[in-house]
Amino acid sequence: MVRMLFVDAHLLRGSKQLHNGDPSGALSDFQASDSYPPNLEQGRPVSSPRFAQVFYYNGVGYEATGDLAKAKELWRSAAETEAVGVGLYYQGLALSKLNEERLAAAKFNQFWDYANRRSQSDFFAKFSEIGSVEIQLAEDLYLRGLAFRGKGNEARARELLALALEKNPNHYWAEHHLQNP
């Protein structure tokens, strides 16, 4: 859990720095998201559901600093790493950055299927002790919002991301994607 928060903090801060015109600061944070400091007491795994997202954002950071060759290398890594869940969305984004639109569309379709299947199959899980109904619903809305964005329906994506924030005002990724289309 701490590792996930560490990654989130660096990716979100890096995105904010990029938005504020500091590509070097953004790249530094994106790179930190792929680090494994000793105090977290976790080594680098062979694979991770977050690798596609981390590689994608690192590519964005290198692109912003003008190193397109390194950016493409990282987007290729994002596209080729094993991914599930939201990682499929980031693979689609990476493939789009590589101008591989047919493959990107296929990844976005996979993510679409995942988001809709999860939304339907987790209906009763929403009532479990894992989290409140609103938090579970917010996650479903967030994923479906990204799925609509991947399919090119920005209006519906924004609507669902806003609903996710309404259900869970602390959903920082929904807020991020709402503010950064």
Side-chain angles (χ1 to χ4, degrees):
M1 179 67 158
V2 172
R3 171 79 192 144
M4 287 181 3
L5 294 173
F6 176 84
V7 171
D8 288 343
H10 283 289
L11 293 178
L12 291 166
R13 186 171 68 183
S15 294
K16 187 173 189 171
Q17 289 180 15
L18 192 60
H19 180 76
N20 291 335
D22 180 9
S24 295
L27 179 58
S28 179
D29 265 318
F30 293 151
Q31 289 171 326
S33 74
D34 196 26
S35 68
Y36 291 81
N39 66 316
L40 294 184
E41 298 182 353
Q42 180 180 348
R44 184 177 182 81
V46 174
S47 67
S48 166
R50 300 295 299 271
F51 279 171
Q53 182 183 28
V54 167
F55 293 155
Y56 169 77
Y57 277 107
N58 272 275
V60 169
Y62 277 101
E63 176 187 41
T65 60
D67 190 344
L68 197 53
K70 183 67 174 173
K72 287 180 178 182
E73 176 186 323
L74 285 156
W75 292 327
R76 177 65 50 210
S77 293
E80 293 176 353
T81 192
E82 187 177 321
V84 295
V86 76
L88 296 168
Y89 174 75
Y90 286 101
Q91 285 184 319
L93 291 178
L95 288 162
S96 288
K97 288 282 197 179
L98 293 167
N99 295 315
E100 296 183 18
E101 295 306 325
R102 186 183 57 76
L103 293 173
K107 283 296 176 186
F108 288 136
N109 284 336
Q110 279 184 280
F111 181 63
W112 174 268
D113 291 344
Y114 165 80
N116 287 299
R117 193 172 49 249
R118 182 188 186 286
S119 177
Q120 294 165 4
S121 68
D122 282 359
F123 177 78
F124 291 106
K126 291 180 179 104
F127 302 100
S128 72
E129 296 178 24
I130 295 172
S132 74
V133 174
E134 289 79 19
I135 289 172
Q136 296 290 324
L137 182 56
E139 184 66 11
D140 288 345
L141 291 165
Y142 161 70
L143 293 171
R144 290 180 52 226
L146 291 184
F148 272 101
R149 180 169 282 163
K151 293 285 220 172
N153 188 338
E154 185 61 25
R156 184 68 174 141
R158 293 184 64 72
E159 179 184 331
L160 291 172
L161 292 168
L163 284 171
L165 269 177
E166 187 178 300
K167 296 292 179 189
N168 178 6
N170 296 316
H171 199 302
Y172 44 83
W173 279 109
E175 181 177 13
H176 168 77
H177 285 288
L178 191 58
Q179 293 174 357
N180 301 285

